[in-house]
Amino acid sequence: METTFVKYPIGVQNFERIRREGYTYVDKTAMVWQLANQGSYYFLNRPRRFGKSLLISTLEAYFEGKRELFEGLAISSMEKEWKAYPVLHLDLNVERYESKEDLLRVLNFFLVEWEKQYGSEPQETSPSTRFAGIIRRACEQTGRPVVILVDEYDKPLAMNLNNEALQDEYRSMLKAFYGVMKSSDRYIRMGFLTGVTKFSKVSVFSDLNNLRDISMLPDYTAVCGLTEQEIRDNFDGEVEQLAEARRLTKDECYAELRRRYDGYHFCEDSTGIYNPFSVLNTLAGRRFGDYWFETGTPTQLVELLKSTDYNLNDLLDGEVSAQLLGSVDSIRQDPVSVFYQSGYLTIKGYDEEFAEYRLGFPNAEVREGFIKFLLPLYTNQNRDSTQFAISRFVREVRSGQPEAFMTRLVAMMADTDYRIVGKGELYLQNFLFVFFRLLGLYVEVERATSDGRTDMVVQTKDYVYILEFKLDQTADEALRQIEEKGYAKPFAADRRPVYKIGVNFNSRQRRVDDWKIAE
């Protein structure tokens, strides 16, 4: 097939540059027009690298009346007036925010730039009073109400999830600053704030309670990210080239894109959303990879898990209330909301009667990346040796070497820093979570049985392993439960060898001290 050359907007977040320099643009302008004409104040949270900055830039170009940039797009037939408004674009994604002074410096940078254009008054000394004066003068001088666009409003807070004292300082400053938008309402045409997380009850938005949160509304589920239809409409030829490069059929290639990068749901019963960063990188390089995960590992989230003694099973098992999922105000009690809002979990189901959501990993990229990232935390493997340890372990499982992989498993659990991973029982639970999920990436892993609940059944095409873990008991007791509960019965007529493995974890010594294998 003939090769086509496409300019992929990877890392390009400026709408005007995309349009003037010939990058491919997936048309979201119908939703831009809808936002601009159906309300005044909005909030949207989406994971990093999902297109929030591009959305803000598109709104900026629209409100500046740059009609020529929108020719051929949906909005060109919807907008009739193309008025130009004064736009104040605040981008907080420019600092590490390690001190109060960092936030003051960023706010001052933007305030100074706006004051150069609209002036200042001596009595305006704080960031909030300066902001209020700028909004008023911008409206008075242009004769048009002001558009305020805030990109990554929460960056100072999100960078300090584990520093409550600094968060309190940032909350106080941002509450006063963002609150100006409500007191200056008569001068404002529109306010739009984006971020990864939503801090609602902790005073950041308490003075700005007229925001409409569109993060989980069906009409805007695809305002950022890509739907499969958008990929087919805009990149079908490039998918065909990817398929050819990877020796796949076109249908197989779409299926692999779906498995790896689709699966984000920002409300119940919604269209699946693909991770745009990973899709564009895959098409550009004609190679599948964990592009999104590798550009920002969840270090802060793992630190949060450690500080809250969190049971990892609770991330995927059980339901989460709509109220909890909508904000990150109670992360010290339950950090699941920040995992959802950051893109590491997504909505898998919804119980309307109790207003509860069921969560899960959105796709293979996130599932595999997250589990592999956790492995060094719960074993003595460092980051560099993780993949090697995984490959050796899986090969031993696949080749029917239970003695070898159990020896490796026990060794992986030895000499772990238990000050980091928590108390003995919690450590065992979390280790098993990582262990189960890790094996599940490569072989079939099941846990439920008809007569009880075994810890794990692992199946390869040639072998079956039934593992029972005990806490402060014996390997014999674990094997006895396998027999008494009949965990091996479903495999009685199976041609494959079945290995029964009993394992005991000693909570005082915090290690596996006894294990046995019966065939």
Side-chain angles (χ1 to χ4, degrees):
M1 61 173 291
E2 182 179 349
T3 300
T4 59
F5 295 95
V6 173
K7 292 185 73 172
Y8 297 97
I10 299 170
V12 182
Q13 303 172 6
N14 182 273
F15 176 76
E16 183 168 353
R17 182 184 172 193
I18 286 174
R19 296 294 287 168
R20 293 198 188 282
E21 297 183 14
Y23 289 95
T24 299
Y25 174 71
V26 176
D27 192 354
K28 304 283 187 179
T29 60
M31 282 180 279
V32 167
W33 188 90
Q34 186 173 322
L35 287 167
N37 290 276
Q38 292 188 356
S40 297
Y41 296 94
Y42 296 97
F43 169 75
L44 173 73
N45 78 274
R46 284 294 184 267
R48 59 182 175 82
R49 296 187 179 273
F50 251 72
K52 299 186 298 297
S53 296
L54 177 56
L55 175 62
I56 288 286
S57 180
T58 308
L59 284 163
E60 182 175 21
Y62 167 73
F63 279 112
E64 288 178 342
K66 296 181 177 179
R67 182 175 187 170
E68 72 281 4
L69 297 179
F70 295 88
E71 290 181 6
L73 300 179
I75 202 171
S76 63
S77 63
M78 303 170 75
E79 181 57 58
K80 306 302 180 186
E81 296 182 338
W82 292 102
K83 292 180 180 178
Y85 297 87
V87 176
L88 303 179
H89 181 176
L90 173 64
D91 183 1
L92 293 186
N93 196 29
V94 294
E95 183 59 80
R96 292 186 59 83
Y97 299 106
E98 296 174 341
S99 69
K100 179 180 178 180
E101 288 68 33
D102 289 342
L103 178 55
L104 286 171
R105 183 165 52 252
V106 171
L107 294 179
N108 185 63
F109 171 82
F110 285 97
L111 291 168
V112 167
E113 291 299 309
W114 298 333
E115 286 168 342
K116 288 177 183 178
Q117 186 171 3
Y118 300 112
S120 62
E121 296 180 3
Q123 70 272 21
E124 297 167 0
T125 56
S126 68
S128 55
T129 56
R130 292 168 66 190
F131 190 32
I134 290 166
I135 293 170
R136 175 178 56 80
R137 285 187 295 276
C139 179
E140 292 172 348
Q141 292 173 19
T142 63
R144 296 253 171 95
V146 178
V147 173
I148 300 171
L149 305 174
V150 183
D151 197 7
E152 304 290 358
Y153 92 96
D154 60 331
K155 186 67 176 289
L157 297 165
M159 291 290 289
N160 293 277
L161 290 174
N162 296 292
N163 188 335
E164 292 190 52
L166 189 54
Q167 278 214 353
D168 287 341
E169 287 192 285
Y170 286 154
R171 286 177 189 135
S172 178
M173 295 167 63
L174 292 174
K175 172 188 175 182
F177 192 81
Y178 294 137
V180 167
M181 283 190 274
K182 185 173 183 181
S183 60
S184 302
D185 177 64
R186 63 188 178 278
Y187 305 115
I188 296 175
R189 165 69 174 82
M190 182 181 183
F192 196 100
L193 289 81
T194 73
V196 171
T197 50
K198 181 184 177 185
F199 295 82
S200 58
K201 299 177 195 170
V202 289
S203 300
V204 175
F205 287 149
S206 62
D207 286 355
L208 188 59
N209 54 12
N210 54 341
L211 281 175
R212 184 187 181 200
D213 185 357
I214 63 171
S215 306
M216 300 178 72
L217 296 184
D219 286 351
Y220 298 105
T221 188
V223 71
C224 292
L226 296 171
T227 65
E228 182 162 323
Q229 191 59 53
E230 287 173 332
I231 295 174
R232 291 181 181 273
D233 291 344
N234 292 273
F235 301 107
D236 191 64
E238 290 67 47
V239 172
E240 191 170 350
Q241 292 174 19
L242 172 65
E244 186 177 275
R246 307 323 306 167
R247 295 183 175 86
L248 300 171
T249 67
K250 192 173 178 181
D251 287 343
E252 289 172 339
C253 192
Y254 270 111
E256 185 64 5
L257 286 169
R258 192 178 306 119
R259 185 184 77 86
R260 286 176 174 265
Y261 309 127
D262 188 17
Y264 286 93
H265 295 273
F266 300 109
C267 67
E268 63 276 12
D269 302 321
S270 63
T271 300
I273 302 297
Y274 284 71
N275 186 314
F277 186 77
S278 289
V279 169
L280 294 179
N281 274 280
T282 296
L283 296 178
R286 296 180 190 168
R287 181 182 297 274
F288 295 101
D290 297 333
Y291 299 101
W292 180 81
F293 197 93
E294 290 173 353
T295 58
T297 52
T299 304
Q300 278 209 87
L301 301 186
V302 171
E303 291 294 326
L304 184 61
L305 289 176
K306 285 153 52 175
S307 66
T308 55
D309 286 335
Y310 198 77
N311 188 327
L312 292 175
N313 284 288
D314 293 339
L315 283 176
L316 301 181
D317 296 332
E319 286 71 39
V320 180
S321 71
Q323 183 179 11
L324 177 64
L325 203 61
S327 72
V328 296
D329 302 327
S330 57
I331 57 176
R332 290 290 158 190
Q333 289 72 43
D334 193 336
V336 68
S337 58
V338 74
F339 276 84
Y340 163 73
Q341 293 179 11
S342 299
Y344 295 98
L345 297 174
T346 196
I347 293 171
K348 293 292 188 179
Y350 181 66
D351 186 325
E352 189 169 359
E353 181 179 4
F354 298 103
E356 291 180 336
Y357 291 95
R358 180 172 55 84
L359 304 181
F361 294 124
N363 50 48
E365 178 185 15
V366 176
R367 181 175 63 250
E368 294 176 17
F370 191 70
I371 295 302
K372 290 177 182 178
F373 186 83
L374 284 177
L375 184 66
L377 181 65
Y378 292 98
T379 70
N380 56 16
Q381 304 296 311
N382 60 42
R383 301 271 176 221
D384 295 334
S385 65
T386 295
Q387 187 57 47
F388 176 75
I390 293 171
S391 61
R392 291 289 297 273
F393 189 88
V394 172
R395 287 191 184 101
E396 290 163 353
V397 171
R398 287 175 174 170
S399 60
Q401 302 180 61
E403 291 278 351
F405 77 68
M406 279 303 303
T407 300
R408 189 175 303 279
L409 175 66
V410 173
M412 288 169 66
M413 297 177 72
D415 300 323
T416 309
D417 187 349
Y418 293 99
R419 293 170 300 173
I420 293 177
V421 298
K423 298 177 181 178
E425 185 171 0
L426 178 63
Y427 165 66
L428 177 61
Q429 291 171 335
N430 285 344
F431 174 83
L432 293 179
F433 172 91
V434 175
F435 182 52
F436 293 157
R437 303 285 173 175
L438 179 65
L439 272 180
L441 303 179
Y442 303 97
V443 294
E444 183 180 349
V445 177
E446 301 173 353
R447 292 190 64 182
T449 66
S450 58
D451 297 320
R453 191 166 180 82
T454 186
D455 277 313
M456 183 162 57
V457 175
V458 179
Q459 298 187 62
T460 72
K461 68 181 183 67
D462 297 313
Y463 302 96
V464 177
Y465 305 93
I466 301 172
L467 293 90
E468 180 68 30
F469 287 83
K470 291 296 183 182
L471 182 68
D472 295 326
Q473 297 183 50
T474 66
D476 285 329
E477 288 175 287
L479 287 173
R480 189 178 307 119
Q481 180 167 327
I482 293 174
E483 293 298 331
E484 291 176 352
K485 294 291 186 178
Y487 293 151
K489 286 181 181 178
F491 307 101
D494 201 299
R495 63 166 182 81
R496 295 171 294 178
V498 178
Y499 294 101
K500 306 165 191 175
I501 306 174
V503 184
N504 182 65
F505 181 82
N506 187 311
S507 63
R508 184 176 60 82
Q509 298 177 356
R510 291 191 271 208
R511 63 181 181 86
V512 170
D513 67 353
D514 189 20
W515 56 275
K516 290 184 178 180
I517 300 172
E519 185 175 355

